[in-house]
Amino acid sequence: MSADKVAVITAGGSGMGAASARRLAADGFKVAILSSSGKGEALAGELGGFGMTGSNQSNEDLKRLVDGTMERWGRIDVLVNSAGHGPRAPLLEITDEDWHRGIEVYFLNVVRAVRLVAPVMVAQKAGSIVNISTAWAFEPSAMFPTSAVARAGLAAYTKIFADQYAGQNVRMNNVLPGWIDSLPATEERRQGVPMQRYGSSEEIAATVAFLASPGAGYITGQNIRVDGGLTRAV
């Protein structure tokens, strides 16, 4: 069994996923990165980790990622679930296929990876799972309908998971980013944020790193808003 801390990051080739991988590596984690573009594999090489080109919508690809991680280091301390982009359209124009696609991209991406990694963490009696969600999970926007609906479901899933596994020291939390610099910027959106700016991928990564750390050891089942004050908890 390796003494190294190990983090697995899905959809980690760019944006917030890649920033999270870089931050965790800087914090001393060995990193295993999955992305469909090949960028995650290249980033893992840069960071001295294990990279694989594949999809978080494939159980087979995820199993190869987890198996490869365990073969190298024998443990998984952190799982970061990032995601790509699902369908967007006016609400009544979203087809059944689009809704199913949104669930695949924004919800089942987490379910599949957790199904493989959680048993490893339970056996270790320790682990942190962090899902990169959206600020619009609880205050939905017509701009992101499939994301908002699927990630509202993710919030429920996270609470159920926390209830079941907190006693075994396996935690799950969601990070809810608002307008982040990996998205196209507009002045109207910037003006709508109380902090009057877009957030950075590095700020999201810092939140992910905190939730992965011992300092967050008493935090589970939560949805952490990182959006410059754009949305309000109720």
Side-chain angles (χ1 to χ4, degrees):
M1 178 72 72
S2 170
D4 292 315
K5 298 181 294 181
V6 178
V8 172
I9 303 97
T10 67
S14 60
M16 293 177 280
S20 296
R22 291 183 184 278
R23 174 58 187 264
L24 290 167
D27 287 351
F29 284 84
K30 298 294 186 183
V31 293
I33 306 172
L34 176 75
S35 81
S36 59
S37 65
K39 293 179 181 178
E41 195 166 351
L43 178 59
E46 174 188 328
L47 298 174
F50 163 52
M52 206 187 87
T53 298
S55 173
N56 60 5
Q57 295 173 45
S58 165
N59 285 306
E60 291 75 18
D61 287 350
L62 286 165
K63 186 174 188 306
R64 288 195 293 124
L65 177 72
V66 171
D67 288 349
T69 302
M70 293 298 290
E71 286 167 9
R72 283 163 177 79
W73 298 302
R75 63 183 299 112
I76 299 173
D77 300 279
V78 173
L79 169 64
V80 179
N81 290 304
S82 189
H85 299 285
R88 294 172 55 188
L91 193 64
L92 298 185
E93 296 177 18
I94 301 172
T95 65
D96 287 3
E97 291 75 17
D98 287 339
W99 283 115
H100 285 294
R101 173 72 174 158
I103 295 294
E104 288 279 341
V105 171
Y106 297 122
F107 177 66
L108 290 177
N109 67 309
V110 171
V111 173
R112 292 187 189 97
V114 169
R115 190 184 291 131
L116 293 167
V117 172
V120 174
M121 293 179 168
V122 168
Q124 296 168 176
K125 297 294 184 183
S128 174
I129 300 170
V130 184
N131 307 315
I132 299 178
S133 180
T134 178
W136 293 276
F138 300 105
E139 298 183 26
S141 166
M143 286 184 287
F144 309 111
T146 62
S147 169
V149 169
R151 283 161 161 169
L154 177 59
Y157 175 88
T158 296
K159 178 59 177 169
I160 294 168
F161 182 94
D163 289 346
Q164 185 166 350
Y165 291 104
Q168 298 174 70
N169 199 32
V170 179
R171 302 180 292 111
M172 180 185 288
N173 294 287
N174 298 324
V175 175
L176 277 54
W179 297 119
I180 302 300
D181 59 8
S182 58
L183 300 168
T186 70
E187 183 63 18
E188 179 183 4
R189 292 173 183 173
R190 186 183 70 78
Q191 290 290 342
V193 180
M195 290 191 75
Q196 297 288 286
R197 68 175 178 87
Y198 273 50
S200 69
S201 295
E202 289 71 25
E203 287 171 315
I204 300 303
T207 307
V208 170
F210 167 67
L211 290 171
S213 75
Y218 202 49
I219 301 174
T220 193
Q222 303 304 310
N223 295 276
I224 311 298
R225 299 166 190 253
V226 191
D227 63 7
L230 182 64
T231 61
R232 307 291 196 272
V234 294

